[in-house]
Amino acid sequence: MLLRLLPLLAALTPFALADVQFTSPAAGATLPGGGAISVAWKDSGSAPALSALTSYQLFLCAGGNDNTNYASFLKMISVATQGGTITNFSPRFTLTGMTGVFPPNVIAGLATVTGTDGPPTVDAIANAPAAGGAAGAAPAAYTVPYNLQTGLTRYAPMQPVPPTKITKKKPTPLFPTSAYTIATTWMARPTMVTTLTLSRTFSVSSRENTAAPASQPTGDMAKFLARWKD
């Protein structure tokens, strides 16, 4: 999939009751490439409420049966106040007058898509139900080094399994440290809002200790312990 970040010109006032449903461009519409694209949306009737979304990113993406007809659609990533993101997609449309070609791997992916429907909604909001790990993100997203990621949502690998023995004498970091700047004035809007960590896929088991308990002390030790009885 090819993505291009679009400047979000419209004011995003949370006046609706649910997440984003695109109404323009319409499904199957034909628009001239190289110019402005008018984008409109309404509430979809599904949670979360728009009032629970704090910031948005809008992308122009490529997808369809070939690299001309219905090859384009919009993608909006919204950050939720409770953590995580929800991603909505518009119906597919055509951009005319475009130059260049898609790389072979993208064309191969486009050939698997039919019709004008966009991809399904990706719900990666914290505590949202999901099967098999963190919701909404492809496993490959968690393998990209953290300092090379961009966007409001970043992805962290699964936490390692603790060893059964401590063998190291000196602690060493798993990854290099990150640069930081001490704020002395108001800073710009953050470029990263949420970090999603890949859920653990390993499991542990435990069993009852069947060893008999030790007997109570006797003799002098019993007398010594008796001193502390109230």
Side-chain angles (χ1 to χ4, degrees):
M1 181 187 297
L2 294 182
L3 305 101
R4 297 290 185 269
L5 182 62
L6 297 179
L8 199 54
L9 301 180
L12 300 179
T13 304
F15 58 88
L17 300 178
D19 69 334
V20 173
Q21 178 182 346
F22 289 95
T23 58
S24 178
T30 300
L31 305 173
I37 300 177
S38 296
V39 182
W41 61 89
K42 64 178 183 180
D43 62 286
S44 68
S46 301
L50 289 187
S51 59
L53 304 177
T54 61
S55 59
Y56 308 83
Q57 294 181 88
L58 183 63
F59 297 86
L60 175 62
C61 307
N65 294 332
D66 52 53
N67 59 345
T68 53
N69 294 329
Y70 310 145
S72 302
F73 59 93
L74 298 172
K75 170 183 177 180
M76 182 177 286
I77 303 176
S78 308
V79 176
T81 54
Q82 69 186 85
T85 61
I86 188 164
T87 305
N88 301 102
F89 301 89
S90 76
R92 303 177 192 275
F93 53 91
T94 299
L95 291 176
T96 60
M98 304 295 288
T99 60
V101 295
F102 293 138
N105 62 320
V106 175
I107 294 178
L110 301 182
T112 64
V113 183
T114 60
T116 59
D117 290 339
T121 296
V122 177
D123 189 347
I125 293 178
N127 301 323
Y142 296 92
T143 64
V144 179
Y146 199 85
N147 61 324
L148 298 181
Q149 298 181 35
T150 59
L152 295 177
T153 301
R154 309 290 175 89
Y155 302 94
M158 185 188 310
Q159 295 180 349
V161 181
T164 56
K165 295 182 180 179
I166 299 177
T167 58
K168 286 191 173 183
K169 303 299 182 181
K170 182 179 180 181
T172 56
L174 294 176
F175 304 99
T177 57
S178 302
Y180 68 93
T181 301
I182 299 177
T184 57
T185 60
W186 291 106
M187 301 185 70
R189 293 180 62 87
T191 57
M192 187 274 289
V193 175
T194 302
T195 296
L196 301 180
T197 302
L198 188 62
S199 298
R200 296 180 298 177
T201 56
F202 65 89
S203 60
V204 296
S205 61
S206 60
R207 62 181 182 180
E208 181 183 0
N209 183 2
T210 58
S215 59
Q216 294 294 325
T218 59
D220 291 340
M221 179 57 68
K223 295 178 182 179
F224 174 78
L225 295 177
R227 294 174 56 189
W228 306 105
K229 292 182 180 179
D230 291 330

